Each structure stands twice: as structure tokens, then as C-alpha cells.
């Protein structure tokens, strides 16, 4: 029903992509604003531990943007509003950039660019190992998130590579869940949202499999 709405179609064509870009840049702009306030000696929202606040903020943004990217296909299936698929790649790419900034902020502000310190963290702390694995899996996705790669690889191979987003998201959620000592709000909410998004796909896949043999015998 939604797909036939002319306004929604026009919005999808002209506004959806630039508005998505603005929304994806907004968390970074807000972080830059907070840093500007701090460097100018003005009151800001970052608290006394600016380093920890910054890398945590970037980690939270990365995981939320990643979950939004995984929500796009289910939203398209439910609403039948096809243009929403146009923003999937840029949302996924933004998740990668926030995750990369999260690592850089941690490496810089927490570890003072110490490679042995980072290696020690990765090997000794399971949750950091999971974060590293998640980010590593996101690299091929980010590198191939462009039209040239789709053309060169072909849709089938490209889809297969981008299937990596699921293990990457599971590892990122594991990273998020393991770092807290007690069950706090956010990581559990992130985990429940991921479970729903993966559950939706599993149900659709199972229904597709059940339909095929039925169609074959019809
Ligand atoms: C090389 C990769 C990574 C490293 C070294 C790393 C490291 C860390 C560290 C040290 C913390 C803070 C723990 C604390 O302060 O108690 C953290 C928090 C977090 N990270 Fe990562 N991380 C990595 C990758 C990722 C990725 C790929 C994501 C998501 C896509 C992610 C999402 C988060 C989230 C959501 C938090 C919690 C922030 C909060 O407490 O509010 N991280 N990470």
C-alpha cells in the first residue's frame, strides 16, 4: 500500500539519501562540538574522563548504526517501500567508520598509541578480541560497498561477501555484552534488537524453503 504513495516515492527519490547522510554525520558533528567546547575551556557533556567517554560514545554509535543497517531489509519487506534499500550501503559504511574511529580513539586516548598495550589487550581480554574480530570482518564489507565492486564481483559473490555482516554483528554484540560486569540497559537492548532482526530473517528463509517444495508439487 505504502509503495503506491506518490509522496513517499518522491521522498525516496530526492530526499532519502541526503537526509540519511546528514543523520549519519550528526553523531560525529555532535562529538566534534563537545570537543570544541572542551578545548575552548567551556562546560561540556563528556565528564572528567574524556578519553573513555569518547571511545565509548563512538562504540555505541557504531553498534547502533550497524543495527539500523540490519533493520533496513525487514523494514522494506514489511512496508514494501523499496527506496529504503538505497540507503543500506551508506548506513553500513557509516557503521564501519564509527567502529574505526572507536578503535582509533581507544588506541590514542586510552592506550597512547602503544602497540604492545593494544596487543596485550587483544590477547588478554576476550571482549577486545571479539571487537577486533568484528571490525576485521567489517573491512571487506566496507571495501566492497561501492557500485564498481558490485559490477566487478557480480551480485552473487557480492551478496555472499556481505553475508559477513551477520557474524560481524554477533561478534560486536558479544564484545558489548562481555565488557559489562552486570547486566546494564544498553548492551541487552542491543542484543535483543539483533536477535529480532536475525529471527526475522530466519523465519523468512524457513518460510521460503517450505514454500518451494509446496510450489513444486502444485
Ligand atoms: C579493534 C576493535 C575494537 C576494540 C579494540 C574495542 C575496544 C573497546 C573498549 C576498550 C571499550 C570500552 C570498555 C570500557 O570502557 O569498559 C569498548 C566499548 C564498546 N565497543 Fe568496542 N572495540 C572494538 C571494536 C568494536 C566494534 C567493531 C564495535 C561495534 C560495531 C564496538 C562497539 C562497542 C560498544 C557498543 C562499546 C560500549 C560503549 C559503552 O560502554 O557505552 N567495538 N570497545
Amino acid at each position: 500500500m505504502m509503495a503506491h504513495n506518490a509522496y513517499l516515492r518522491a521522498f525516496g527519490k530526492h530526499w532519502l539519501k541526503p537526509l540519511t547522510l546528514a543523520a549519519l554525520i550528526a553523531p560525529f558533528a555532535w562529538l566534534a562540538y563537545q570537543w570544541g567546547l572542551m578545548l575552548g575551556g567551556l562546560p561540556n557533556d563528556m565528564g572528567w574522563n574524556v578519553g573513555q567517554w569518547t571511545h565509548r560514545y563512538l562504540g555505541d554509535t557504531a553498534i547502533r548504526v550497524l543495527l539500523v543497517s540490519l533493520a533496513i531489509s525487514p523494514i522494506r519487506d514489511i512496508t514494501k517501500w523499496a527506496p529504503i534499500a538505497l540507503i543500506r550501503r551508506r548506513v553500513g559504511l557509516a557503521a564501519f567508520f564509527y567502529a574505526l574511529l572507536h578503535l582509533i580513539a581507544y588506541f590514542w586516548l586510552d592506550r597512547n598509541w602503544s602497540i604492545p598495550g593494544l596487543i596485550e589487550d587483544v590477547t588478554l581480554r576476550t571482549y577486545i578480541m571479539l571487537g577486533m574480530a568484528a571490525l576485521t570482518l567489517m573491512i571487506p564489507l566496507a571495501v566492497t560497498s561501492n557500485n564498481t565492486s558490485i559490477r566487478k564481483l557480480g551480485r552473487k559473490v557480492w551478496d555472499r561477501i556481505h553475508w559477513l555482516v551477520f557474524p560481524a554483528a554477533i561478534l560486536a554484540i558479544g564484545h558489548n555484552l562481555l565488557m559489562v560486569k552486570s547486566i546494564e540497559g544498553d548492551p541487552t537492548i542491543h542484543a535483543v534488537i539483533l536477535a529480532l532482526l536475525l529471527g526475522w530473517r530466519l523465519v523468512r528463509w524457513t518460510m521460503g524453503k517450505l514454500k518451494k517444495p509446496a510450489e513444486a508439487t502444485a
Side-chain angles (χ1 to χ4, degrees):
M1 187 193 8
M2 233 176 164
H4 303 299
N5 185 318
Y7 287 109
L8 269 176
R9 258 205 315 264
F11 176 80
K13 205 168 161 194
H14 303 294
W15 290 101
L16 188 60
K17 279 175 133 185
L19 281 178
T20 305
L21 191 62
L24 292 170
I25 291 171
F28 182 78
W30 192 74
L31 178 64
Y33 172 63
Q34 293 301 321
W35 269 76
L37 290 176
M38 185 203 59
L39 294 173
L42 295 166
N44 57 75
D45 288 348
M46 295 193 286
W48 62 272
N49 194 339
V50 173
Q52 190 187 62
W53 187 91
T54 303
H55 73 72
R56 283 186 166 194
Y57 169 81
L58 287 165
D60 275 332
T61 308
I63 209 144
R64 285 168 193 167
V65 175
L66 187 62
L67 290 174
V68 170
S69 78
L70 287 173
I72 291 174
S73 296
I75 292 173
R76 184 201 48 196
D77 295 343
I78 293 166
T79 63
K80 310 267 182 275
W81 188 43
I84 198 168
L86 295 172
I87 60 168
R88 201 168 33 188
R89 268 190 282 154
R90 65 179 57 195
V91 177
L93 208 50
F96 173 74
F97 278 117
Y98 278 111
L100 195 61
L101 286 175
H102 166 62
L103 168 66
I104 293 169
Y106 166 68
F107 194 28
W108 168 37
L109 302 166
D110 236 64
R111 291 277 139 231
N112 205 13
W113 302 118
S114 155
I115 294 191
L118 184 69
I119 293 173
E120 194 187 301
D121 263 0
V122 172
T123 46
L124 290 183
R125 298 200 215 168
T126 312
Y127 80 88
I128 299 211
M129 208 184 283
L130 295 183
M132 193 63 104
L135 190 64
T136 308
L137 286 187
M138 287 166 86
I139 295 172
L141 307 183
V143 171
T144 56
S145 278
N146 54 71
N147 291 337
T148 316
S149 295
I150 299 181
R151 227 177 13 250
K152 274 194 181 155
L153 294 166
R155 190 77 211 193
K156 226 174 168 181
V157 176
W158 192 87
D159 278 349
R160 220 170 275 166
I161 294 173
H162 281 251
W163 195 86
L164 284 177
V165 70
F166 303 118
I170 292 169
L171 288 165
I173 290 290
H175 167 67
N176 195 188
L177 278 171
L178 282 189
M179 76 188 63
V180 281
K181 290 174 185 70
S182 59
I183 300 282
E184 285 173 24
D186 279 3
T188 321
I189 294 172
H190 294 156
V192 169
I193 293 173
L194 180 67
L196 289 172
L197 293 171
L198 296 183
W200 166 266
R201 283 167 168 89
L202 191 67
V203 169
R204 265 184 73 94
W205 181 79
T206 314
M207 276 164 59
K209 283 262 167 215
L210 290 175
K211 235 185 201 172
K212 267 186 200 151
E215 273 164 11
T217 52

